[in-house]
């Protein structure tokens, strides 16, 4: 399963990294990853006009986009667009952070999973 990691380097610059979560065939129940311990889960909804300037993640977290998409910009100016169903691993809890804005002018829902 492919996800995108957002992290800060030793200079505080934010980067994207594509990572693969290995899945193992478990027969009739499908393919599963290794278990990942989590601390909490939180649902989120943002306004249609959501456009958040540079910020760091409050903690290491997975974000699952439940509906709507986002554009994320790193501190180095690289931009990527993510759509419904995509998963991000956000680890830039220090440094210069990233910008986030809705792709469409509509409310957006996501799921935060704190690790």
């Amino acid at each position: 399963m492919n996800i995108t990691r957002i992290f800060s380097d030793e200079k505080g610059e934010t980067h994207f990294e594509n990572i693969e979560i290995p899945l193992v065939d478990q027969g009739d129940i499908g393919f599963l990853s290794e278990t990942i311990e989590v601390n909490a889960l939180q649902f989120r909804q943002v306004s249609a006009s959501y456009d958040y300037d540079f910020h760091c993640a409050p903690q290491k977290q997975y974000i699952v986009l439940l509906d709507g998409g986002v554009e994320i910009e790193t501190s180095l100016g690289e931009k990527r667009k993510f759509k419904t169903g995509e998963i991000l691993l956000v680890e830039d809890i220090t440094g210069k952070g990233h910008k986030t804005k809705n792709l469409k002018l509509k409310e957006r829902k996501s799921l935060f999973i704190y690790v």
Side-chain angles (χ1 to χ4, degrees):
M1 179 172 294
N2 293 310
I3 66 173
T4 301
R5 178 178 174 233
I6 301 170
F7 68 98
S8 297
D9 66 19
E10 63 282 345
K11 295 180 181 176
E13 299 292 354
T14 305
H15 302 271
F16 293 115
E17 177 184 24
N18 298 323
I19 60 175
E20 176 74 22
I21 304 294
L23 301 177
V24 177
D25 188 350
Q26 298 295 314
D28 291 342
I29 64 169
F31 292 77
L32 298 175
S33 72
E34 292 289 324
T35 300
I36 299 170
E37 295 293 325
V38 300
N39 296 318
L41 178 142
Q42 188 172 36
F43 295 92
R44 181 180 191 205
Q45 180 172 318
V46 297
S47 69
S49 61
Y50 186 81
D51 187 353
Y52 197 32
D53 205 1
F54 281 104
H55 63 284
C56 291
Q59 64 271 319
K60 181 178 173 180
Q61 60 193 6
Y62 288 92
I63 300 176
V64 181
L65 300 173
L66 298 175
D67 68 358
V70 295
E71 178 182 82
I72 297 178
E73 180 179 347
T74 69
S75 60
L76 296 171
E78 182 180 358
K79 295 179 183 180
R80 289 193 188 179
K81 294 179 180 180
F82 302 94
K83 61 184 187 289
T84 299
E86 292 196 75
I87 302 168
L88 307 169
L89 173 57
V90 186
E91 297 182 316
D92 64 334
I93 57 177
T94 62
K96 298 178 182 177
H98 61 276
K99 289 183 180 181
T100 308
K101 71 176 181 178
N102 284 352
L103 290 178
K104 295 184 178 179
L105 193 59
K106 66 175 240 174
E107 289 183 342
R108 178 176 52 82
K109 296 180 182 115
S110 55
L111 177 66
F112 290 178
I113 304 167
Y114 304 128
V115 291

